[in-house]
Amino acid sequence: MFKNYIKIAWRNLWKNKGFTILNSIGLSIAFGVAIVLSMTAFFELSYDDFHEKGDSIYQVYAQWQIPEGSDIQTSQPIPLAFALKDEVPGVKRISRYLDGKTLLIYNEKELTADMSWVDPDFFELFSFPIEKGNDNPINDKNALAITNSMANRTFGSTDVIGKTINLLINGKKEPFTIATVLKDIPDNSSMKFEILGNFKSSPRYKRLKDQWDHSNHIVYVQLQDEISVPQFEESTQSFANLHFKENIEDTKRDGASPNENGQYLQLKLHPFKDLYFTSYKLGNLVVSRALPYIVLGIAFLLLFIACVNFINMSIAKSNTRLQEIGMRKTLGGTKKHVFLQFWCESILIFIATLGFGILLSVLFLDEFKTLFNTGATFNNTVSFLSIIVFALVFFVITGVAGGYPALLLSKLGTLQALKGKIQLNGRDKVRDILMITQFAIVILLVSGSFVLWGQLQYMRTKDLGYNKEYVMSLPLNDKKDGNKAIKLLREELKDQSDIISITASDNNLGRGKDGSRYSSSIGFDYKNRQVSTNMLIVDYDYIKTLDIKLLSGRSFDKSFASDSLSVIINEAMVKELEETDPIGKQLAVINDSIRHTVVGVIKDFNFEKLDRAIEPMSLFMSNQKNVRYAYFKISNADISTTVDKIEKVWKSLEPNAEFLGSFLDENIDRTLKREKTMITIITSGSLIAIILSCIGLLAISLLVVNKRTKEIGVRKVVGASVTSLILLLAKDFLKLVVIAFVLIVPIAWWYSDRWLQEYSYRMELSIWFFLAAGILALGIALVTISFGTIRAALQNPVKSLRTE
């Protein structure tokens, strides 16, 4: 019998080719897009899942009480890790983790590599797969672990165990032996490195190994099985009070209030598996997996729209099959038989469209990965569990979207069906509710896209306080002293009229091509209270090159020998010092014996991510520390030629080094990766939702027009115009769009406003974002409906009157 159902289902689907094709296109697109979106979401949610002990690993962080409330510090002093293991019971394994860049030198090759410094317990904590060599190379201070791709990049082979390379440490070449080759780091790892070395060989380790007032790395810990996190955190209180005694006294003096446990400093543990989804706001750790769940939500909404189309088309098309249903029941067919017949037709469509959807997802996976900036693949997302979940979702969709119309048709009475005329009001209400929901989803996604675009454009065009259009930054090769390198660059390019000025600093603005981004901050006493500032080491002409506004005082000047002990501060630092006129004031920033005189005040500029408020900043001269980035302010006459000149000079100074120059506006764009990904996902979802809605609306409008063919003919005979007929047929659908707009806008406004609160700098939320989405949805609906209505309104009324 089931075979007979399949045959009849195939005949009916083939008979109604137009609606079968529309349904198939809509469902295939929905399944294909939902598959790739779900892959992206599952990939994001799978970050760091491959570590076998991931559930028992924690990051150590410090929660300080400050006068304003509390503050989070994730970087730790070098002596903390092993003092914690020796003095606080419960530590099973512990490792420090310091990441950065290093210059690898092998024969004539000079390569910039992602380098991380760790302790021996690192390989006991984390499950980075070893391809060959020592299971734990970090036991030896001069041994390295190197990834497969880095080995090939350096040696052209992975047979490198025992080979020696040089790393540039504190400006000197230091030999290291490769003891282990690791498989390439999984795409869903929050830790990214190419080389691992022993923490005791890291730069500045010897100088800072006993200092508790300098923090520069992360600490990971695994507790003993019988020790809980609250127990451990409580047991660290005396440890923290002992080793941070002076800092705690300064905190008390400045007016901070103790926490609920009476402590001014609390060492705490944060689950490693939450780190990828963690942000630090208002002195608290905030864990949010909103983005992957938004992606999953969009996938679900697209499937919902496609299913709504299927249900509406199936119900609307039911009029043409009433006599078939009546005949089946007259010949002894039961409700069960009728239900199974119509459900079989639905199953055929869903199975076929699922196959097409999978094919689409495979064919366009590479383009999708590029568009959405994701490392998701079928290999790293498809698992037994995901297959089971997807099968259940498919079963539910088939059962509801296919079963509901079949159930409605199976309940029809025999006589009612044989007459071929039934009252559709109940089912029209279901159709209307579903279409309202469908258009509400479209308006929500479109308005979300507009808000995201608006915020991104606001951040892109916001005055950052410096010139980002015609200034290029270039990472300097650590092989050559940075201060010497910048002098050589100035000397070689001094006669180039298209290069207006050259300067340098120890940090980049935005995220350059080298991927490096860090900040340095320090706290010190000023007028018997603790203040803090970010530190930036700069060369002469930094303010001039970047067009930073000087509010008072002067910039660094070669004619002033005392500038080696001068400092320039920003407006936020002026507020931190609580001074009305800071020029001439002396700051003991480094230590009490060295005082820097404030010689200038500059306007605040954004030196960190744009979702953070501008913090206090102090600029020191480059003789305090080595610079790492050169800046070139160039004219806009012939930019490409000027960049070529800079690259040529750089290659002459460092022939083996890679040229990684990039303009600051490009660097800023790289810091907006999260926002750009969200925009791409939601905009793509909006476009697909519009396409699917148009397919459904087109099919329904054609069916409605066919039902009212005779009415159209009569109205034309009595003088109705084409425009009035189009409005007559379209008004019922447009009314649904308006209802959807009224219902969804408050929700869209609330969510958009909540999202914007995450940014210290944000645009004003305007009703026009939502009105534009509503008008767009209304226009799309009107254009879609017009395809069928115009043709019906233009045809000969005599032909229309003969149709019934």
Side-chain angles (χ1 to χ4, degrees), residues 2-14 20 23-24 27-28 31 310 321 340-356 394 398 402-403:
F2 186 73
K3 183 178 179 181
N4 189 49
Y5 288 147
I6 297 295
K7 284 183 178 180
I8 297 172
W10 173 256
R11 289 171 187 167
N12 279 306
L13 291 173
W14 185 254
T20 301
N23 264 326
S24 298
L27 285 168
S28 296
F31 276 125
F310 184 86
R321 302 185 64 179
L340 288 174
Q341 177 60 61
F342 283 93
W343 196 33
C344 278
E345 293 180 18
S346 301
I347 290 174
L348 277 178
I349 290 180
F350 278 106
I351 291 175
T353 53
L354 175 61
F356 282 122
F394 179 73
T398 307

Side-chain angles (χ1 to χ4, degrees), residues 123 258 325 444 501 593 727 732 759:
F123 280 96
I325 297 169
L444 176 66
S501 62
S593 61
L727 292 176
D732 290 338
Y759 294 89

